[in-house]
Amino acid sequence: MSTAPRYLPRYTASDRATWEGDWELLDGVAVAMTPRPHGRHAERLARLAALFWNAIDASGCRATVLAEIDWIVADDTVVRPDLVVVGGPAPPRHVEHPPAFVAEILSAATRTRDLSIKRELYEASGVRWYLISAPDEGASSLLRLGATGRYEALPATGP
């Protein structure tokens, strides 16, 4: 049995706040958010944000669409989803409660994390809707939190 895990540093949201660059924390493990997204990713994000803003405005719903904002899930877990929808107005600094909706746009650097660790995190945190968008494949998967507390796949349309 390896002794390496007990020597790995564990960080907190307070530690992360002092760092330069873009980082997520997953159970105290620092994960660099590099490389930065490129064209298709940025276009997909802009289109999704516009779709959600238009739908929210048309429905009169009191919700806010936020792109690339930190969500402090726990003291040792901070993620920055590509897009979230929260009830009410935008928070002053960062999201502190589970968003109603999270979208992650896959890239080569984030694919594995978005499809596994983040999916599990969002599910366990009670995020009702999770959209996984793959612009390079031109496909999306929409997941809804079911009565069992597990995500169920629904047919997705649009970007």
Side-chain angles (χ1 to χ4, degrees):
M1 175 181 219
S2 172
T3 59
R6 70 178 176 178
Y7 295 110
L8 290 176
R10 295 298 226 209
Y11 299 103
T12 66
S14 297
D15 295 326
R16 181 187 167 274
T18 65
W19 300 343
E20 291 183 27
D22 291 325
W23 298 86
E24 288 185 318
L25 278 183
L26 300 171
D27 291 325
V29 176
V31 178
M33 296 176 62
T34 56
R36 296 292 297 159
H38 297 289
R40 285 190 192 154
H41 185 283
E43 178 186 14
R44 182 66 52 102
L45 179 56
R47 287 182 182 273
L48 284 172
L51 284 171
F52 275 91
W53 270 120
N54 289 339
I56 287 169
D57 289 344
S59 72
C61 180
R62 290 178 37 102
T64 303
V65 179
L66 303 164
E68 298 184 352
I69 188 169
D70 289 343
W71 170 23
I72 299 181
V73 180
D75 189 49
D76 65 350
T77 303
V78 181
V79 292
R80 187 179 301 158
D82 290 307
L83 187 89
V84 299
V85 176
V86 298
R93 292 185 44 93
H94 48 260
V95 175
E96 294 183 2
H97 304 287
F101 174 90
V102 168
E104 292 286 6
I105 302 167
L106 302 183
S107 68
T110 66
R111 174 180 291 280
T112 301
R113 196 166 50 248
D114 291 342
L115 294 174
S116 59
I117 296 168
K118 284 188 164 183
R119 176 185 167 142
E120 292 170 12
L121 174 66
Y122 299 158
E123 187 177 74
S125 298
V127 174
R128 184 153 172 78
W129 299 95
Y130 181 31
L131 178 73
I132 302 164
S133 182
D136 291 338
E137 290 96 39
S140 295
S141 298
L142 181 61
L143 307 175
R144 177 183 63 196
L145 198 60
T148 63
R150 307 282 303 179
Y151 279 134
E152 302 167 348
L154 299 173
T157 59

